[in-house]
Coordinates of all heavy atoms in Angstrom, one line a residue:
P391 N -14.8 -1.8 14.0 CA -14.3 -2.5 15.3 C -13.1 -3.4 14.9 O -13.2 -4.7 15.0 CB -15.5 -3.2 15.7 CG -16.3 -3.7 14.5 CD -16.0 -2.5 13.5
L392 N -12.1 -2.9 14.5 CA -10.9 -3.6 14.2 C -9.6 -2.8 14.4 O -9.7 -1.5 14.5 CB -10.9 -4.1 12.7 CG -11.1 -3.1 11.6 CD1 -9.6 -2.6 11.2 CD2 -11.8 -3.7 10.4
E393 N -8.5 -3.5 14.5 CA -7.2 -2.9 14.7 C -6.4 -2.9 13.4 O -6.4 -3.9 12.7 CB -6.4 -3.7 15.8 CG -5.1 -3.2 16.1 CD -4.3 -4.1 16.9 OE1 -4.8 -5.0 17.5 OE2 -3.0 -3.8 17.0
V394 N -5.9 -1.7 13.0 CA -5.0 -1.6 11.8 C -3.6 -1.9 12.2 O -3.1 -1.2 13.0 CB -5.2 -0.3 11.2 CG1 -4.1 -0.1 10.0 CG2 -6.7 -0.1 10.6
V395 N -3.0 -2.9 11.5 CA -1.5 -3.1 11.8 C -0.7 -2.8 10.6 O -1.0 -3.3 9.5 CB -1.4 -4.7 12.2 CG1 0.0 -5.0 12.5 CG2 -2.4 -5.1 13.4
V396 N 0.3 -2.0 10.7 CA 1.1 -1.6 9.7 C 2.5 -2.2 9.8 O 3.1 -2.2 10.8 CB 1.2 -0.1 9.6 CG1 2.2 0.4 8.4 CG2 -0.1 0.6 9.5
C397 N 2.8 -3.0 8.7 CA 4.1 -3.8 8.8 C 5.2 -3.2 7.9 O 5.0 -2.5 7.0 CB 3.7 -5.2 8.2 SG 2.5 -6.1 9.0
P398 N 6.4 -3.4 8.3 CA 7.6 -2.8 7.7 C 7.7 -3.1 6.1 O 7.2 -4.2 5.7 CB 8.9 -3.3 8.4 CG 8.3 -4.1 9.6 CD 6.9 -4.3 9.3
T399 N 8.3 -2.2 5.4 CA 8.5 -2.4 4.0 C 9.6 -3.6 3.7 O 10.6 -3.4 4.3 CB 9.0 -1.1 3.3 OG1 7.9 -0.1 3.6 CG2 9.2 -1.2 1.8
V400 N 9.2 -4.5 2.9 CA 10.3 -5.5 2.5 C 10.9 -5.1 1.3 O 10.3 -4.6 0.4 CB 9.5 -6.8 2.2 CG1 10.5 -7.9 1.8 CG2 8.7 -7.3 3.5
R401 N 12.3 -5.2 1.3 CA 13.1 -4.6 0.2 C 14.0 -5.7 -0.5 O 14.3 -6.6 0.2 CB 14.1 -3.5 0.8 CG 13.4 -2.3 1.3 CD 14.2 -1.2 1.9 NE 13.3 -0.2 2.4 CZ 12.8 0.8 1.6 NH1 13.0 0.8 0.3 NH2 11.9 1.6 2.2
E402 N 14.4 -5.3 -1.7 CA 15.4 -6.2 -2.3 C 16.7 -5.9 -1.6 O 16.9 -4.9 -1.0 CB 15.5 -5.9 -3.8 CG 14.2 -6.0 -4.6 CD 14.0 -7.6 -5.0 OE1 14.8 -8.4 -4.6 OE2 13.1 -7.8 -5.7
P403 N 17.8 -6.8 -1.8 CA 19.0 -6.6 -1.2 C 19.6 -5.1 -1.6 O 20.3 -4.5 -0.8 CB 19.9 -7.6 -1.8 CG 18.9 -8.8 -2.1 CD 17.8 -8.1 -2.5
D404 N 19.2 -4.6 -2.7 CA 19.8 -3.3 -3.1 C 18.9 -2.2 -2.7 O 19.1 -1.0 -3.0 CB 20.1 -3.2 -4.7 CG 18.8 -3.3 -5.5 OD1 17.7 -3.4 -4.9 OD2 18.9 -3.4 -6.8
G405 N 17.9 -2.4 -1.8 CA 17.0 -1.4 -1.3 C 15.7 -1.2 -2.0 O 14.9 -0.5 -1.4
L406 N 15.6 -1.6 -3.2 CA 14.3 -1.3 -4.0 C 13.2 -2.1 -3.2 O 13.3 -3.3 -2.9 CB 14.4 -2.0 -5.4 CG 13.1 -1.9 -6.2 CD1 12.8 -0.4 -6.5 CD2 13.2 -2.6 -7.5
A407 N 12.2 -1.3 -2.9 CA 11.0 -1.8 -2.2 C 10.3 -2.8 -3.1 O 10.1 -2.5 -4.3 CB 10.0 -0.7 -1.8
L408 N 9.9 -3.9 -2.6 CA 9.1 -4.9 -3.5 C 7.9 -4.3 -3.9 O 7.1 -3.7 -3.1 CB 8.9 -6.3 -2.7 CG 10.2 -7.1 -2.3 CD1 9.7 -8.4 -1.8 CD2 11.1 -7.3 -3.5
S409 N 7.5 -4.5 -5.1 CA 6.2 -4.0 -5.7 C 5.8 -4.9 -6.8 O 6.7 -5.2 -7.6 CB 6.4 -2.5 -6.1 OG 5.3 -2.2 -6.9
S410 N 4.5 -5.0 -7.0 CA 4.0 -5.8 -8.2 C 4.4 -5.1 -9.4 O 4.6 -5.7 -10.4 CB 2.5 -5.9 -8.1 OG 2.1 -6.6 -6.9
R411 N 4.6 -3.7 -9.4 CA 4.8 -2.9 -10.5 C 6.4 -3.2 -11.0 O 6.8 -2.7 -12.0 CB 4.5 -1.5 -10.3 CG 2.9 -1.3 -10.4 CD 2.6 0.1 -10.3 NE 1.2 0.3 -10.6 CZ 0.3 0.5 -9.7 NH1 0.5 0.6 -8.4 NH2 -1.0 0.6 -10.0
N412 N 7.2 -3.7 -10.1 CA 8.6 -3.9 -10.5 C 8.7 -4.8 -11.7 O 9.7 -4.7 -12.4 CB 9.4 -4.4 -9.3 CG 9.6 -3.4 -8.1 OD1 9.2 -2.3 -8.3 ND2 10.1 -3.9 -7.0
A413 N 7.7 -5.6 -11.9 CA 7.7 -6.6 -13.0 C 7.6 -5.8 -14.4 O 8.0 -6.3 -15.4 CB 6.4 -7.5 -13.0
Y414 N 7.3 -4.5 -14.3 CA 7.3 -3.7 -15.6 C 8.6 -3.3 -16.0 O 8.9 -2.9 -17.2 CB 6.4 -2.4 -15.4 CG 4.9 -2.5 -15.1 CD1 4.4 -1.6 -14.3 CD2 4.2 -3.6 -15.6 CE1 3.0 -1.7 -14.0 CE2 2.8 -3.7 -15.3 CZ 2.2 -2.7 -14.5 OH 1.0 -2.9 -14.2
L415 N 9.6 -3.3 -15.1 CA 10.9 -2.7 -15.3 C 11.8 -3.6 -16.2 O 11.9 -4.9 -15.9 CB 11.6 -2.5 -14.0 CG 10.9 -1.7 -13.0 CD1 11.6 -1.6 -11.6 CD2 10.8 -0.2 -13.6
D416 N 12.4 -3.1 -17.2 CA 13.5 -3.9 -17.9 C 14.8 -3.8 -17.2 O 14.8 -3.2 -16.1 CB 13.6 -3.5 -19.4 CG 14.2 -2.1 -19.6 OD1 14.9 -1.6 -18.6 OD2 14.0 -1.4 -20.7
A417 N 15.8 -4.5 -17.7 CA 17.1 -4.6 -16.8 C 17.7 -3.2 -16.5 O 18.1 -3.0 -15.3 CB 18.1 -5.5 -17.5
E418 N 17.7 -2.3 -17.5 CA 18.3 -1.0 -17.2 C 17.4 -0.2 -16.3 O 17.9 0.5 -15.4 CB 18.4 -0.4 -18.6 CG 19.6 0.6 -18.6 CD 19.6 1.4 -19.9 OE1 19.1 0.8 -20.9 OE2 20.0 2.6 -19.9
E419 N 16.1 -0.3 -16.5 CA 15.2 0.4 -15.5 C 15.3 -0.1 -14.1 O 15.2 0.5 -13.1 CB 13.8 0.3 -16.1 CG 13.6 1.1 -17.3 CD 12.2 0.8 -18.0 OE1 11.7 -0.2 -17.7 OE2 11.8 1.6 -18.8
R420 N 15.5 -1.5 -14.0 CA 15.5 -2.1 -12.7 C 16.7 -1.6 -12.0 O 16.7 -1.2 -10.7 CB 15.6 -3.6 -12.9 CG 16.0 -4.4 -11.6 CD 14.9 -4.3 -10.5 NE 15.4 -4.8 -9.2 CZ 16.2 -4.3 -8.4 NH1 16.7 -3.1 -8.6 NH2 16.5 -4.9 -7.2
R421 N 17.8 -1.3 -12.6 CA 19.0 -0.8 -12.1 C 18.7 0.7 -11.6 O 19.1 1.0 -10.5 CB 20.2 -0.8 -13.0 CG 21.5 -0.3 -12.5 CD 22.5 0.0 -13.6 NE 22.0 0.9 -14.7 CZ 21.7 2.2 -14.5 NH1 21.9 2.8 -13.3 NH2 21.1 2.8 -15.6
A422 N 18.1 1.4 -12.5 CA 17.8 2.9 -12.2 C 16.9 3.0 -11.0 O 16.9 4.0 -10.3 CB 17.3 3.5 -13.5
A423 N 16.0 2.0 -10.9 CA 14.9 2.1 -9.9 C 15.5 2.1 -8.4 O 14.7 2.6 -7.5 CB 14.0 0.9 -10.0
T424 N 16.7 1.7 -8.2 CA 17.3 1.9 -6.9 C 17.4 3.3 -6.5 O 17.7 3.7 -5.3 CB 18.7 1.2 -6.8 OG1 19.5 1.8 -7.9 CG2 18.7 -0.3 -7.1
V425 N 17.2 4.3 -7.5 CA 17.3 5.7 -7.1 C 16.3 6.1 -6.0 O 16.7 7.0 -5.2 CB 17.2 6.6 -8.4 CG1 15.8 6.7 -8.8 CG2 17.8 8.0 -8.1
L426 N 15.2 5.4 -6.0 CA 14.2 5.8 -4.9 C 14.9 5.7 -3.5 O 14.8 6.6 -2.7 CB 12.9 5.0 -5.0 CG 12.0 5.4 -6.1 CD1 12.3 4.8 -7.5 CD2 10.4 5.2 -5.8
F427 N 15.4 4.4 -3.3 CA 15.9 4.2 -2.0 C 17.1 5.1 -1.7 O 17.4 5.5 -0.6 CB 16.2 2.8 -1.8 CG 16.6 2.3 -0.4 CD1 15.7 2.4 0.6 CD2 17.8 1.7 -0.1 CE1 16.0 2.2 1.9 CE2 18.2 1.4 1.2 CZ 17.2 1.5 2.2
R428 N 18.0 5.2 -2.8 CA 19.2 6.0 -2.6 C 18.8 7.5 -2.2 O 19.4 8.1 -1.4 CB 20.0 6.1 -3.9 CG 20.7 4.8 -4.2 CD 21.8 4.9 -5.4 NE 21.1 4.6 -6.6 CZ 20.9 5.3 -7.7 NH1 21.5 6.5 -7.8 NH2 20.4 4.8 -8.8
A429 N 17.6 8.0 -2.9 CA 17.3 9.4 -2.5 C 16.8 9.4 -1.1 O 17.1 10.4 -0.4 CB 16.1 9.8 -3.5

Side-chain angles (χ1 to χ4, degrees):
L392 59 88
E393 181 192 347
V394 173
V395 181
V396 180
C397 302
T399 302
V400 177
R401 299 179 180 281
E402 300 281 6
D404 63 7
L406 178 66
L408 296 189
S409 163
S410 306
R411 291 190 168 97
N412 294 349
Y414 298 147
L415 303 169
D416 67 23
E418 209 185 329
E419 290 170 340
R420 169 64 187 80
R421 184 199 49 72
T424 56
V425 75
L426 282 87
F427 190 60
R428 283 187 273 128

